[in-house]
Amino acid sequence: MRDATGPDAPVLAIRGATKRFAGRLILDGLDLALGAGEVYALLGPNGAGKTTTINLILGFLRADAGEVRVGGLDPATAPVAARAQAAYIPEQVALYPGLSGLENLRYLATLAALRLSRSEAGRLLDEAGLAGEAHGRPAAGYSKGMRQKVGIAVALARRARLLLLDEPTSGLDPGASADFARTVRAAASRGTAVLMATHDLYRLREMADRVGVLRAGRIAEEIDPRGLDAAALERLALARPAEEAP
Amino acid sequence: MTPARVRHLLAAEIRLLLGERLTLAILAALLAALCLGAYTGAGRVAAERAAIARAAQDEARAVREARAAHVRYAQASDVKVHYWQDPTHAFGYMTQFLTVHAVKPPTPLAVLATGQSDVQPGLMRMSFGFSTVFDDTDYDLGAVGRLRLGAFDLAFVLVALVPLAVIALAGTRLCAEQDSGLLRLIAAQPVAPRRVAGAKFGAAALVLLAALLSGTALALGLFEGLGPLAEGGGTLALLAAALAAYTLFWVAACALAASLWRGAVFALVILVLAWACLTVALPASLSLAVDALAPRPSRIAAIDASREAQERFSLAPEGRRIAAAWLAERAPQAGAALRDAPEIRRLARDAFYDAAVASHREAARLHAEATARWSRRLAPLSPAASLLLALETAAGTDAARHAAFLAAAAEYRRSLRAFFEPRILAQALHPVPVCAGCQARLDFDAYDAVPAFPASVDAEAPWRQALLCLGGLLASTLLLAAAAFRRFAAWPA
């Protein structure tokens, strides 16, 4: 693992992170490092610890042991500064239904201490792939894909070094999913590190540079998905740890 | 966080809040309620002023007619006017024609609260035509059925309905975002939960305060006019500050409920229960506590004492003995025949009745004072009761002012008796015919010297009560806000 404070420091560095909930071990010494422009997919069944990992990175949870660094900052002790390095798009992007996509973007940017003019916000929504006619429409009528594009626009506005995606393509139609994959690759090409928790084996081959298979709270395998077909990835994702085997 | 960023965040929250249709609906309903409250109060105050003006006209008319009687009865005639028809005679005038009132005039801020004014007299005619047991006997409640729900006045709107408006507007801030999932996106931004909560609840507070204070001023201006209110300017400013603190108290309660991170339904249930406890159950409990701490003396016992006194006096030997003793004490030189004169029997009887019920009247006076005192002491335990008391004190419709008014009215009655009694006695002892052959006595014309009721408005009590209320509310608000601030240290996982 690279030095967490040096010039080549990884955008995200997790070392030996452990987290228990009600006595149940969710993360068991998780190690993960992610550099600029890298897209990393966390693959694993429900309950494997993907969302817990994201919560640790955002500072919503504190690791029982180990350390988490975002841009060299500890989100447990400096959550605001650490979150300034990361943008997060949850599985279900919810917006204020009475506000338009444009107004939602400007509001969320305000929370991040950004002042976006209407034209700047419009440009960011264009960049995120939201059709121009939808910019001014109330978000109540947006599809999941449209809401995610607003989330992407927030991340673009923030120029975050790390993009966290939680099940980003679930529920998207194939066209929207392909759009989304392109948007993620575009962000990575601009130097943004991307960590996504996903079940979408097909899309992650298009998007991810590395796939970490999360089992029993730790990365059991780390592979380059481009060399594997979907069937091989599925076998990996479904494989159980030895202690869980029947 | 720089001040500019705070302003920017606050402005964004205000835009967000004002963009919601529910906000406009709540503010419109609040304005309508304020207008209705001001309309009710203005109507009541106008009715009180009209009654006082009518009473003043009646007083002037009585004096005018008495003077006219002097002219009319100064003609020699075979027809003699009895004392009960004769306003030119001190005894006749006192018992049959005297028209004076004890008045509790509306204060400049009377429109704010009905208080005791729909169950207690603000105007009492001082009459000596019959004996009264209680100081407030000469008062008709009117249609008591109207009292069942109380008055829909400004105090009701400000104390009971404003918290509901605050809960409707601010009760689901952050909770709604949590329920919809938007909170995850908000929490992922580089901003501390305290900043977001501060901006959200700060914006709600600013919108509510602006709407409430301007709405109240508008409602008062529409139905009462701001001119009379200007006289109570200092108190009004303190009340506005207390009202702002009361609103902030409920906004802080909303923030505390949100900080439990249990969702909108839970927060609303908690807040409505808090509203029911603090504005309904607690003031009602405090009322019961006041009743327990200041037990009401028996009015039946007082009536019984009066009845026994009347019975004793009506028995011929006992009545004569009492009248003789009364006369002997005041005019030892008076002849025995005088004790049967109607004016002597009436004065002796009234003095006897007064002595018989004096302890009961004193108990009632002490009870009224104790009730007012305990109300003042216990009110700070409930923010709603505290604000209500401040509004009623400013409006001059509080229990303490009423107790003072009844005491002043009793004192006024005594001063009137003290004015007439020596004159009646002197005329009874030395019945000098002023006019030979005239129809009436013509020996009393000091109408302008009859004492007037010293109506007073306590200038200090309103601002003192408003200041106490403001201090208590600020302390409670700070306590709630500190608890919410502490709980907003981190976002929920």
Side-chain angles (χ1 to χ4, degrees), chain A residues 55 88 94 96 107 111 115, chain B residues 5 8 13 177 184 200:
Chain A
N55 281 340
Y88 167 65
Y96 284 108
Y107 171 76
L111 292 180
R115 299 193 72 163
Chain B
R5 192 180 164 196
H8 193 205
E13 289 295 345
E177 282 88 341
R184 291 279 290 176
K200 284 203 174 291

Side-chain angles (χ1 to χ4, degrees), chain B residues 320-460:
Chain B
R320 292 192 75 204
R321 188 190 62 74
I322 292 167
W326 182 87
L327 186 61
E329 187 180 324
R330 283 161 182 77
Q333 75 282 15
L338 197 57
R339 66 187 176 198
D340 291 326
E343 55 265 55
I344 299 302
R345 280 189 66 83
R346 170 64 67 86
L347 292 176
R349 187 198 71 176
D350 286 355
F352 179 64
Y353 286 177
D354 279 349
V357 297
S359 63
H360 296 280
R361 283 180 179 157
E362 180 65 4
R365 189 186 64 76
L366 291 174
H367 168 257
E369 284 179 6
T371 299
R373 191 170 56 249
W374 278 112
S375 295
R376 273 200 309 273
R377 284 180 185 169
L378 295 182
L381 296 177
S382 157
S386 174
L387 181 62
L388 183 62
L389 183 60
L391 288 167
E392 287 182 354
T393 308
T397 57
D398 57 310
R401 185 177 182 222
H402 180 68
F405 170 64
L406 287 186
E411 180 56 37
Y412 181 46
R413 180 185 293 276
R414 283 191 286 275
S415 74
L416 287 171
R417 189 183 296 278
F419 173 81
F420 281 104
E421 198 174 280
R423 287 171 168 79
I424 293 169
L425 198 56
Q427 289 167 10
L429 290 170
H430 310 288
V432 181
V434 175
C435 168
C438 291
Q439 300 175 53
R441 296 283 293 271
L442 301 174
D443 55 3
F444 177 75
D445 64 355
Y447 306 114
D448 292 334
V450 174
F453 181 72
S456 67
V457 174
D458 188 344
E460 276 193 14

Side-chain angles (χ1 to χ4, degrees), chain B residues 75-401:
Chain B
Q75 315 289 326
S77 170
D78 293 337
V79 178
K80 294 296 173 201
V81 174
H82 297 290
Y83 78 86
W84 63 84
Q85 299 167 314
D86 186 3
T88 69
H89 178 42
F91 181 56
Y93 185 73
M94 183 186 95
T95 53
Q96 307 297 327
F97 297 94
L98 177 68
T99 307
V100 288
H101 297 84
V103 178
K104 188 171 69 165
T107 67
L109 303 179
V111 71
L112 292 176
T114 301
Q116 304 274 315
S117 62
D118 60 352
V119 287
Q120 304 282 11
L123 176 71
M124 291 191 294
R125 182 172 171 180
M126 295 288 107
S127 168
F128 292 92
F130 60 94
S131 282
T132 58
V133 179
F134 304 109
D135 295 331
D136 56 353
T137 300
D138 190 14
Y139 175 64
D140 181 8
L141 269 180
V144 289
R146 288 187 313 168
L147 302 176
R148 276 180 301 193
L149 290 178
F152 193 100
D153 59 355
L154 267 177
F156 170 69
V157 176
L158 298 176
V159 171
L161 299 189
V162 162
L164 288 179
V166 175
I167 291 168
L169 198 76
T172 57
R173 298 281 114 187
L174 281 179
C175 302
E177 282 88 341
Q178 186 185 11
D179 288 350
S180 72
L182 181 53
L183 189 67
R184 291 279 290 176
L185 196 56
I186 290 172
Q189 308 309 315
V191 61
R194 283 172 179 160
R195 303 284 184 205
V196 178
K200 284 203 174 291
F201 291 102
L206 284 177
V207 167
L208 279 161
L209 286 179
L212 184 58
L213 295 178
S214 60
T216 307
L218 177 69
L220 288 171
L222 275 176
F223 296 105
E224 174 69 357
L226 295 174
L229 300 173
E231 291 176 44
T235 303
L236 199 58
L238 279 174
L239 282 178
L243 185 57
Y246 187 63
T247 307
L248 292 177
F249 171 85
W250 283 103
V251 172
C254 291
L256 188 58
S259 73
L260 301 173
W261 301 121
R262 300 285 293 274
V265 172
F266 181 84
L268 285 178
V269 167
I270 288 284
L271 289 166
V272 170
L273 281 176
W275 171 83
C277 283
L278 292 179
T279 62
V280 182
L282 187 53
S285 305
L286 293 179
S287 251
L288 292 175
V290 168
D291 281 348
L293 291 164
R296 182 181 296 278
S298 168
R299 283 173 85 93
I300 297 296
I303 291 166
D304 213 33
S306 168
R307 189 189 57 75
E308 279 178 19
Q310 289 181 51
E311 198 173 283
R312 273 187 68 193
F313 194 87
S314 65
L315 296 174
E318 184 69 354
R320 292 192 75 204
R321 188 190 62 74
I322 292 167
W326 182 87
L327 186 61
E329 187 180 324
R330 283 161 182 77
Q333 75 282 15
L338 197 57
R339 66 187 176 198
D340 291 326
E343 55 265 55
I344 299 302
R345 280 189 66 83
R346 170 64 67 86
L347 292 176
R349 187 198 71 176
D350 286 355
F352 179 64
Y353 286 177
D354 279 349
V357 297
S359 63
H360 296 280
R361 283 180 179 157
E362 180 65 4
R365 189 186 64 76
L366 291 174
H367 168 257
E369 284 179 6
T371 299
R373 191 170 56 249
W374 278 112
S375 295
R376 273 200 309 273
R377 284 180 185 169
L378 295 182
L381 296 177
S382 157
S386 174
L387 181 62
L388 183 62
L389 183 60
L391 288 167
E392 287 182 354
T393 308
T397 57
D398 57 310
R401 185 177 182 222

Side-chain angles (χ1 to χ4, degrees), chain A residues 119-209:
Chain A
S119 61
E120 283 171 324
R123 185 181 54 72
L124 287 164
L125 287 173
D126 284 338
E127 206 175 321
L130 186 69
E133 58 84 23
H135 290 190
R137 264 200 287 136
Y142 280 15
S143 65
K144 181 187 173 185
M146 293 164 82
R147 293 199 304 273
Q148 272 189 326
K149 284 169 182 170
V150 176
I152 295 278
V154 176
L156 293 173
R158 300 254 321 270
R159 293 191 181 86
R161 295 176 66 196
L162 172 64
L163 183 58
L164 300 167
L165 306 171
D166 196 357
E167 306 289 358
T169 54
S170 74
L172 291 186
D173 62 51
S177 180
D179 273 355
F180 188 79
R182 276 193 293 277
T183 308
V184 170
R185 286 308 322 177
S189 68
R190 286 191 294 268
T192 306
V194 180
L195 174 71
M196 59 180 176
T198 184
H199 291 301
D200 189 344
L201 304 175
Y202 179 71
R203 287 295 168 204
L204 74 79
R205 281 192 308 148
E206 287 179 12
M207 291 190 273
D209 299 313

Side-chain angles (χ1 to χ4, degrees), chain A residues 14 27 30 32 42 49-57 214:
Chain A
I14 301 176
L27 294 181
L30 177 71
L32 182 63
L42 269 181
K50 301 189 295 290
T51 302
T52 301
T53 305
I54 289 176
N55 281 340
L56 287 180
I57 296 167
L214 196 58

